[in-house]
Amino acid sequence: MKKLNILTSAIAFIALFVACSESLLDTPAPNISDESFFSSDAAAFDALVGAYDPLGRYNYTQIHEWMIGDVVSDDAEKGGEGPSDWAECQDLKDFRANAENSILAGRWTEPYVGIARANKLIAGIQENENISAGVQKRYIAEAKFLRAWYHFHLLKVFGGVPIVNKVLQPSEFTEPRNTAAEVYAQIEKDLTEAAADLPTKPELNADEMGRVTRGAAEAFLVKMYVFQAKWSEAATLSQKFIDEYDWYGLEDNYADVFSATGENGKESIFEIQYSFITGDDNWGDDNEGNVTAIYQGSRQLYNSKGEIESGWGWGFNLPTQNLYDEFEEGDPRRDFTLIDDGDVLWEGTDDEETICTQHINGIGYTQKVYHSRKYYIPKSERNGMSDSPNNWRAIRYADLLLWNAEAYAHTGGDWEYGVNEVRARVGLEPTTNTDGLSAVYHERRVELAMEGHRYWDLVRTGRGSLMTGYSDNKRYMPIPQGEIGLNPNLEQNPY
């Protein structure tokens, strides 16, 4: 499933509309009931694709995961052409965002689009005699996973939000916020039910890679336990995962995790799929590719004569010297996470580039910054402005190992195993740190750097003060004012 085609009921609406009479004003508005649309397994699949689609939208995963998870944290500076380039992102970084911030508006809207589509799918196929029993079982499980995923991505940004676990009636459009605990409970319920009916990764066909699996649901449930400090549950479930799912593991070469050959590999538990689309550039939610590559690409290169020339990228999400210093000497992950001035990438190939960082280090930052390498792709994989094919690694096995280690550090179990597994993969000796949590926090930062995790790790573990401008009342971000205007029962966060 290297990017499901976006086929939703809208296609049917368009087909009917075009086939109608000569006068647009005389054409009755088309009306398709759930009964007539959900009339076959193929129609159910189209609706399933629609439920997956918001995962990869421009105003959601494509930029928001690194924009909040990396830039707002101490791991990165915003970058671009300077502080005024995408000033709303700088406002997030400086903890001065307001309810009119368009980034937050997208972060609210897109998950609810996904939730609505998941609910529509469940309602449309459940106990539907036109849909085969196997399709009902699997698609409903996938929809419940997606519904849980979208609810969590709202929860972690805004705190408690209205739970939507069914197709709403107009009288239900102004429901108040649920508590964070209630949202977590709904997420746990959805994931537990989904896991029971999902296939394992080895059971997927080649063209199904990227669809939700039992492992993805259980790993995501571990994450929910970690975020709630349910350490016993996290330890038990993560250990079961490690013991039973032997088809997952660490890639032998750390660099391969983010290469094209590493996509959907043994380390991948859940990836958001993108495609290399030829032809005209698309933008926004019309594209099937990932814009992360161009956002984080280098603004300048050195040519063969050592002269500075324009690069391909826009230079956002710049790793800091603070992050650089976190890596131990000799840790090869540093060189595959950070790009310094003069670094040569893909040396000896047609893709060879020599990176220049003079621009990004000349726009006013007090500490040195670098370019991010994990989502930096070679020329041969670039396609115009927006259609880069590199998937977003949402959950990988290294993350699961470190959740296991963190849970055991809290409960008195073998936290060293997970920590030392990820260290051994890159040739490092076992940790000499005798404090389990300190060892886990270090390893999570260097292993998962620039993957959108750092901000959430800091706030969930009570270390938000490491970020300049942070205070406890800024744990959750402002709810978009437009949403409060539509639903006056929403209570604003005390940001």
Side-chain angles (χ1 to χ4, degrees):
M1 191 189 78
K2 185 55 175 168
K3 189 63 179 179
L4 290 163
N5 291 321
I6 302 170
L7 300 171
T8 66
S9 58
I11 294 176
F13 280 104
I14 293 170
L16 284 177
F17 190 82
V18 172
C20 282
S21 65
E22 357 178 276
S23 170
L24 184 67
L25 295 177
D26 292 338
T27 303
N31 182 19
I32 299 179
S33 67
D34 288 351
E35 290 77 12
S36 59
F37 177 77
F38 290 105
S39 58
S40 67
D41 289 355
F45 181 76
D46 291 349
L48 176 67
V49 172
Y52 272 94
D53 173 57
L55 288 175
R57 286 189 170 184
Y58 171 76
N59 279 332
Y60 184 32
T61 300
Q62 290 212 24
I63 53 175
H64 288 179
E65 284 303 280
W66 56 260
M67 186 177 291
I68 298 177
D70 296 333
V71 170
V72 179
S73 80
D74 55 351
D75 271 3
E77 297 287 359
K78 176 181 66 65
E81 294 184 341
S84 62
D85 187 3
W86 212 343
E88 287 182 308
C89 181
Q90 191 66 47
D91 288 342
L92 291 173
K93 172 71 176 176
D94 295 335
F95 294 99
R96 63 185 185 206
N98 60 40
E100 303 293 343
N101 189 290
S102 65
I103 297 167
L104 297 178
R107 189 67 191 205
W108 180 280
T109 302
E110 301 299 353
Y112 273 122
V113 170
I115 290 168
R117 291 182 178 186
N119 287 334
K120 193 70 171 176
L121 173 63
I122 293 170
I125 69 175
Q126 197 164 34
E127 300 179 357
N128 184 334
E129 62 183 14
N130 296 313
I131 312 298
S132 62
V135 166
Q136 286 188 45
K137 182 178 178 181
R138 182 177 177 185
Y139 288 14
I140 289 171
E142 289 181 82
K144 286 181 178 179
F145 174 95
L146 293 169
R147 186 168 68 186
W149 186 271
Y150 294 130
H151 271 107
F152 174 65
H153 281 240
L154 286 161
L155 172 63
K156 72 178 184 178
V157 176
F158 300 108
V161 295
I163 294 171
V164 182
N165 57 10
K166 62 178 182 178
V167 177
L168 296 181
Q169 300 303 314
S171 62
E172 299 171 301
F173 289 169
T174 57
E175 292 296 303
R177 299 172 66 175
N178 290 91
T179 66
E182 290 169 337
V183 181
Y184 274 120
Q186 176 64 47
I187 291 170
E188 288 185 28
K189 181 177 185 293
D190 274 343
L191 292 175
T192 301
E193 293 175 356
D197 291 333
L198 288 167
T200 63
K201 189 174 181 179
E203 293 174 325
L204 296 182
N205 298 324
D207 62 354
E208 293 181 319
M209 284 297 168
R211 287 178 67 174
V212 177
T213 63
R214 185 180 306 160
E218 292 186 354
F220 188 32
L221 186 54
V222 171
K223 184 173 185 175
M224 297 303 91
Y225 292 149
V226 168
F227 266 71
Q228 296 174 84
K230 292 184 174 181
W231 301 117
S232 178
E233 293 91 333
T236 299
L237 185 54
S238 60
Q239 192 61 54
K240 173 182 176 290
F241 191 108
I242 293 166
D243 292 341
E244 296 182 6
Y245 296 163
D246 58 3
W247 46 86
Y248 294 109
L250 298 174
E251 294 286 352
D252 295 335
N253 182 359
Y254 183 75
D256 287 346
V257 176
F258 296 92
S259 69
T261 57
E263 289 190 343
N264 299 311
K266 66 179 181 179
E267 191 160 342
S268 172
I269 299 176
F270 185 55
E271 284 188 23
I272 295 171
Q273 310 291 301
Y274 292 100
S275 292
F276 191 113
I277 304 297
T278 57
D280 295 335
D281 284 335
N282 294 313
W283 194 244
D285 292 334
D286 292 329
N287 74 327
E288 303 296 309
N290 191 346
V291 300
T292 296
I294 193 167
Y295 266 104
Q296 299 189 17
S298 179
R299 297 184 70 91
Q300 294 179 330
L301 301 172
Y302 291 112
N303 63 24
S304 58
K305 299 178 182 179
E307 302 165 332
I308 298 174
E309 57 184 29
S310 295
W312 173 70
W314 298 341
F316 283 87
N317 201 22
L318 307 175
T320 60
Q321 186 66 38
N322 182 289
L323 173 59
Y324 180 99
D325 293 341
E326 183 76 17
F327 289 88
E328 300 163 51
E329 286 301 320
D331 187 341
R333 291 173 294 189
R334 183 172 68 187
D335 290 338
F336 197 75
T337 302
L338 309 153
I339 310 174
D340 202 353
D341 192 62
D343 282 354
V344 181
L345 307 185
W346 304 289
E347 188 170 9
T349 72
D350 292 341
D351 289 320
E352 181 175 314
E353 287 182 344
T354 304
I355 306 301
C356 175
T357 66
Q358 290 191 30
H359 166 78
I360 61 173
N361 278 294
I363 55 177
Y365 295 124
T366 58
Q367 60 175 318
K368 182 178 179 179
V369 291
Y370 301 80
H371 277 300
S372 179
R373 185 168 182 182
K374 286 181 176 176
Y375 285 93
Y376 198 111
I377 60 175
K379 287 181 286 187
S380 58
E381 295 178 21
R382 302 171 191 164
N383 185 38
M385 289 180 62
S386 58
D387 285 326
S388 299
N390 49 336
N391 293 346
W392 182 263
R393 277 64 166 175
I395 305 176
R396 57 187 181 93
Y397 189 66
D399 209 356
L400 189 282
L401 286 172
L402 293 173
W403 289 330
N404 177 260
E406 187 173 353
Y408 278 140
H410 280 281
T411 59
D414 181 14
W415 60 265
E416 292 97 335
Y417 173 77
V419 167
N420 290 331
E421 280 288 292
V422 296
R423 292 176 63 84
R425 188 254 294 271
V426 293
L428 294 178
E429 295 295 320
T431 183
T432 58
N433 194 335
T434 58
D435 180 81
L437 283 179
S438 175
V440 170
Y441 292 162
H442 164 77
E443 217 57 48
R444 281 192 63 82
R445 189 178 188 192
V446 296
E447 171 70 26
L448 303 167
M450 308 309 293
E451 297 178 43
H453 298 296
R454 176 65 172 174
Y455 174 79
W456 312 111
D457 279 353
L458 290 177
V459 296
R460 73 174 175 80
T461 58
R463 296 177 292 146
S465 60
L466 293 175
M467 299 179 287
T468 303
Y470 178 84
S471 58
D472 288 343
N473 67 302
K474 295 181 182 291
R475 165 63 184 90
Y476 295 115
M477 297 180 182
I479 293 175
Q481 190 59 45
E483 300 300 328
I484 291 177
L486 292 169
N487 180 2
N489 291 321
L490 291 177
E491 183 181 347
Q492 184 59 275
N493 287 323
Y495 188 84

